[in-house]
Amino acid sequence: MDLKRITAYCEKLSSPPSDILLKLERETHLKTLAPQMMSGHLQGLLLSFLSEWLQPESILEIGTFTGYGTLCLSSGLKKGGRLHTIEVNPELSFISKKYFRLAAIEDKVRHHVGDAFHIIPAIDEQFDLVFLDAGKREYLLHYDLVFDKVKPGGIILADNVLWSGKVVDSPGDKDTEMLKAFNQKINDDNRVRNLLLPIRDGLMIVMKK
């Protein structure tokens, strides 16, 4: 099975991204060194659907990058809701803030620049939806940091948990081994229900009991 052709077919037969998302995708490819870090069409749609189904009052995103996922996640926020997004690299803010303005979501988004380890404890909110998409070696730490801030019935999403399929190899490099440990921790955690989907580079969906 040709995964690239299958993905192209899925994209062709899925709702198209908005003009703003298309412009953001183009600019991300033009102005960043790793545009593959962007959520992209299919995963972006899934983030939008999940947010719109949940109708969250509060969302936390760890790893803004250029803001594609942020725009998608914001689509389901309740009136007066807030999305906190954290990005460690300040050089990316000029892109994300531009598109928050173009998408008219500036009043919904609180953009934090810095280390999530220091920022998360300072956010005095309970979250309906959390999206982990930053450094993979920090997933275990970020999961533990946010867990008590997630409401019962809330959702934690973790991106890139298949790591180009390397998680099925043994032994793996350090990033791979950290992701394998993260996936196993989630599966062993009796406080949650979880579903690992092979969409894009792997998406772990965790529901807090």
Side-chain angles (χ1 to χ4, degrees), residues 33-127:
L33 296 175
Q36 70 274 12
M37 292 172 60
M38 183 178 56
S39 290
H41 181 195
L42 293 180
Q43 184 170 285
L45 271 177
L46 180 58
L47 294 178
S48 295
F49 283 6
L50 289 171
S51 181
E52 288 161 22
W53 289 330
L54 287 170
Q55 293 284 293
E57 292 180 335
S58 187
I59 299 173
L60 174 64
E61 178 186 39
I62 306 174
T64 315
F65 191 47
T66 58
Y68 195 106
T70 318
L71 267 63
C72 296
L73 288 166
S74 71
S75 67
L77 275 172
K78 284 185 177 178
K79 185 176 181 180
R82 175 81 66 178
L83 192 162
H84 292 267
T85 185
I86 303 171
E87 175 55 49
V88 71
N89 184 355
E91 294 182 1
L92 294 169
S93 296
F94 80 98
I95 299 178
S96 58
K97 288 184 177 180
K98 171 184 175 180
Y99 285 89
F100 297 162
R101 184 177 67 255
L102 290 173
I105 61 169
E106 285 179 302
D107 61 331
K108 300 178 182 179
V109 174
R110 176 74 189 279
H111 187 252
H112 306 265
V113 177
D115 190 333
F117 178 77
H118 301 293
I119 293 169
I120 292 169
I123 301 175
D124 186 20
E125 288 190 35
Q126 292 287 301
F127 299 105

Side-chain angles (χ1 to χ4, degrees), residues 129-141:
L129 179 59
V130 174
F131 184 36
L132 306 183
D133 194 20
K136 311 314 164 191
R137 297 186 187 185
E138 283 75 51
Y139 270 21
L140 288 165
L141 173 62

Side-chain angles (χ1 to χ4, degrees), residues 142-163:
H142 291 162
Y143 180 77
D144 289 337
L145 275 174
V146 304
F147 193 85
D148 289 340
K149 291 179 174 286
V150 177
K151 299 175 186 177
I155 298 292
I156 300 172
L157 307 171
D159 195 17
N160 304 114
V161 292
L162 294 181
W163 209 231

Side-chain angles (χ1 to χ4, degrees), residues 11-19 21-22 41 45 68:
E11 290 179 343
K12 182 179 179 180
L13 294 179
S14 297
S15 297
S18 67
D19 289 343
L21 287 174
L22 285 172
H41 181 195
L45 271 177
Y68 195 106

